[in-house]
């Protein structure tokens, strides 16, 4: 007969069990609940709106008289007569088991009404956060201070975006823009991120060239790598032409860069000071369905990187 697991063994199993499976197993075993509450709950992905939520690969939608669960192409429906708010509160309580700290790899926060659903004092310890600027003040109290600086922040350009510590201190910042905006030189100067990625910015203006000229004038490199991503090759060609007009004298083969350059596109090595320069080049990324990217990357002349 198999011997029962010791507490350290059971703790190890529960801690490494996929979160949704773990919650369902523990929910059916009163003996496990006491132990489970002592073990951190780690979610890879958590998304919540006013009437739906996603936990890892489980998607839950609260309709008027029912709750729909969808996972691995299977759909389960449960009839419920409570209000949507009550249903959401019960779901959150069921999956979090009253914990005050929830570890989340990626938290997607989109609604100011979310605090109505969340238990008082709950905190999310997150690696990555996605939220629009007008939700920063609402989301911030629910993010454990030990999460900062974030590994990744995903948001959209807005007048308040560049004044938020969540944005400017994240290791990687992703800015999405589905409409025409201008990201000014002064806004770019506020960013202290190691990497800033611009996506869906086909109709937007980004003052990258003025930023490089500013660095040349001040002889101060920011140390931030900028990446412009698009699925429009014409957009990439247009941006490369702008670099040709501004920095044509600094064209370079960049033989020391191990990348699959976009064939026929110009590449640049722009000196900032005696210790650093900025490399500019375009690539086609096979890992992202052939999307095109422009890299504006600071490198050290001293280290030869």
């Amino acid at each position: 007969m198999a011997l029962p697991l010791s507490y350290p063994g059971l703790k190890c199993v529960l801690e490494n069990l996929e979160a949704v499976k773990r919650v369902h197993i523990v929910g059916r075993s009163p003996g496990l609940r006491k132990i489970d509450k002592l073990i951190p709950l780690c979610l890879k992905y958590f998304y919540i709106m006013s009437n739906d939520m996603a936990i890892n690969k489980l998607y839950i939608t609260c309709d008027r008289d029912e709750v729909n669960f969808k996972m691995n192409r299977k759909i389960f429906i449960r009839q419920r007569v409570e209000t949507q708010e009550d249903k959401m509160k019960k779901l959150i309580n069921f999956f979090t088991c009253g914990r005050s700290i929830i570890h989340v790899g990626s938290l997607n926060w989109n609604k100011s009404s979310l605090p109505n659903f969340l238990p008082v004092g709950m905190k999310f310890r997150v690696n990555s956060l996605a939220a629009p600027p007008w939700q920063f003040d609402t989301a911030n109290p629910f993010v454990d201070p030990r999460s900062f600086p974030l590994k990744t922040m995903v948001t959209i350009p807005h007048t308040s975006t560049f004044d938020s510590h969540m944005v400017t201190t994240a290791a990687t910042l992703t800015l999405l823009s589905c409409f025409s905006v201008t990201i000014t030189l002064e806004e770019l100067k506020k960013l202290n991120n190691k990497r800033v990625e611009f996506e869906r910015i086909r109709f937007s203006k980004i003052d990258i060239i003025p930023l490089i000229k500013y660095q040349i004038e001040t002889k101060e490199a920011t140390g931030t790598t900028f990446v412009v991503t698009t699925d429009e090759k014409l957009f990439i060609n247009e941006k490369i032409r702008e670099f040709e007009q501004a920095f044509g004298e600094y064209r370079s083969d960049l033989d020391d860069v191990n990348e699959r350059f976009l064939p026929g596109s110009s590449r640049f090595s722009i000196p900032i000071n005696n210790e650093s320069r900025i490399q500019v080049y375009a690539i086609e990324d096979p890992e992202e369905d052939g999307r095109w990217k422009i890299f504006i990357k600071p490198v050290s002349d001293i280290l030869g990187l």
Side-chain angles (χ1 to χ4, degrees), residues 149-153 167 169-173 192-196:
L150 297 167
K151 290 184 178 179
T152 306
M153 179 73 199
V167 170
T169 62
T172 297
L173 169 64
N192 300 308
N193 318 86
K194 292 181 179 178
R195 181 182 175 106
V196 177

Side-chain angles (χ1 to χ4, degrees), residues 43-44 46 101-109 123-130 139 142-153 166:
L43 310 178
K44 290 183 179 180
F46 185 51
I101 295 287
I102 307 296
H103 298 255
V104 182
S106 179
L107 174 64
N108 194 324
W109 186 290
K123 298 281 187 181
F124 296 100
R125 191 172 300 170
V126 305
N127 292 327
S128 301
L129 174 65
F142 288 90
V143 178
D144 190 319
R146 285 170 287 187
S147 303
F148 301 111
L150 297 167
K151 290 184 178 179
T152 306
M153 179 73 199
M166 293 192 293

Side-chain angles (χ1 to χ4, degrees), residues 133 136 155-165 167-169 173 175-177 179-193 196 198 201 204-208 210-212 214-215 222 224 226:
F136 289 169
T155 188
I156 63 174
H158 188 266
T159 53
S160 61
T161 298
F162 302 92
D163 294 319
S164 168
H165 76 96
V167 170
T168 59
T169 62
L173 169 64
L175 291 172
L176 310 175
S177 177
F179 44 85
S180 178
V181 298
T182 297
I183 302 176
T184 67
L185 170 62
E186 293 304 314
E187 290 171 333
L188 292 175
K189 286 161 61 176
K190 294 179 180 180
L191 300 178
N192 300 308
N193 318 86
V196 177
F198 300 99
I201 46 79
S204 299
K205 178 186 176 185
I206 308 170
D207 281 349
I208 291 289
L211 178 64
I212 296 175
Y214 171 78
Q215 293 181 48
T222 64
T224 299
F226 294 94

Side-chain angles (χ1 to χ4, degrees), residues 171-173 193-198 208 222-228 278-279 281 294-299:
T172 297
L173 169 64
N193 318 86
K194 292 181 179 178
R195 181 182 175 106
V196 177
E197 300 177 351
F198 300 99
I208 291 289
T222 64
T224 299
T225 295
F226 294 94
V227 183
V228 180
I278 291 177
Q279 296 174 342
Y281 54 87
I294 296 179
F295 281 80
I296 302 95
K297 183 178 181 180
V299 296

Side-chain angles (χ1 to χ4, degrees), residues 83-296:
T83 65
Q84 285 191 342
E85 182 172 330
D86 286 339
K87 287 196 284 281
M88 291 295 290
K89 285 181 178 180
K90 288 184 177 181
L91 285 166
I92 291 172
N93 185 63
F94 176 75
F95 282 100
T96 62
C97 299
R99 288 178 173 83
S100 59
I101 295 287
I102 307 296
H103 298 255
V104 182
S106 179
L107 174 64
N108 194 324
W109 186 290
N110 272 314
K111 277 286 187 178
S112 58
S113 60
L114 296 186
N116 297 332
F117 303 148
L118 301 178
V120 176
M122 174 179 280
K123 298 281 187 181
F124 296 100
R125 191 172 300 170
V126 305
N127 292 327
S128 301
L129 174 65
W134 48 88
Q135 296 297 337
F136 289 169
D137 290 342
T138 306
N140 192 47
F142 288 90
V143 178
D144 190 319
R146 285 170 287 187
S147 303
F148 301 111
L150 297 167
K151 290 184 178 179
T152 306
M153 179 73 199
V154 181
T155 188
I156 63 174
H158 188 266
T159 53
S160 61
T161 298
F162 302 92
D163 294 319
S164 168
H165 76 96
M166 293 192 293
V167 170
T168 59
T169 62
T172 297
L173 169 64
T174 300
L175 291 172
L176 310 175
S177 177
C178 299
F179 44 85
S180 178
V181 298
T182 297
I183 302 176
T184 67
L185 170 62
E186 293 304 314
E187 290 171 333
L188 292 175
K189 286 161 61 176
K190 294 179 180 180
L191 300 178
N192 300 308
N193 318 86
K194 292 181 179 178
R195 181 182 175 106
V196 177
E197 300 177 351
F198 300 99
E199 296 192 9
R200 306 175 192 168
I201 46 79
R202 180 182 175 189
F203 301 106
S204 299
K205 178 186 176 185
I206 308 170
D207 281 349
I208 291 289
I209 289 177
L211 178 64
I212 296 175
K213 290 181 177 180
Y214 171 78
Q215 293 181 48
I216 293 173
E217 292 173 2
T218 60
K219 297 187 181 301
E220 294 182 1
T222 64
T224 299
T225 295
F226 294 94
V227 183
V228 180
T229 302
T230 182
D231 53 7
E232 293 284 343
K233 189 175 181 180
L234 290 177
F235 174 83
I236 290 290
N237 292 337
E238 177 185 339
K239 294 304 172 186
I240 291 296
R241 282 195 295 270
E242 292 177 4
F243 277 99
E244 289 174 346
Q245 294 173 2
F247 305 111
E249 62 186 297
Y250 300 121
R251 290 189 190 185
S252 170
D253 291 334
L254 298 183
D255 293 330
D256 57 337
V257 177
N258 185 23
E259 290 280 9
R260 296 177 58 184
F261 299 122
L262 189 64
S265 65
S266 298
R267 303 181 285 276
F268 308 86
S269 181
I270 306 167
I272 300 300
N273 52 43
N274 294 332
E275 299 179 353
S276 60
R277 60 181 55 244
I278 291 177
Q279 296 174 342
V280 180
Y281 54 87
I283 68 167
E284 182 177 0
D285 193 339
E287 295 183 0
E288 294 192 16
D289 298 324
R291 300 180 77 193
W292 291 280
K293 296 182 177 182
I294 296 179
F295 281 80
I296 302 95

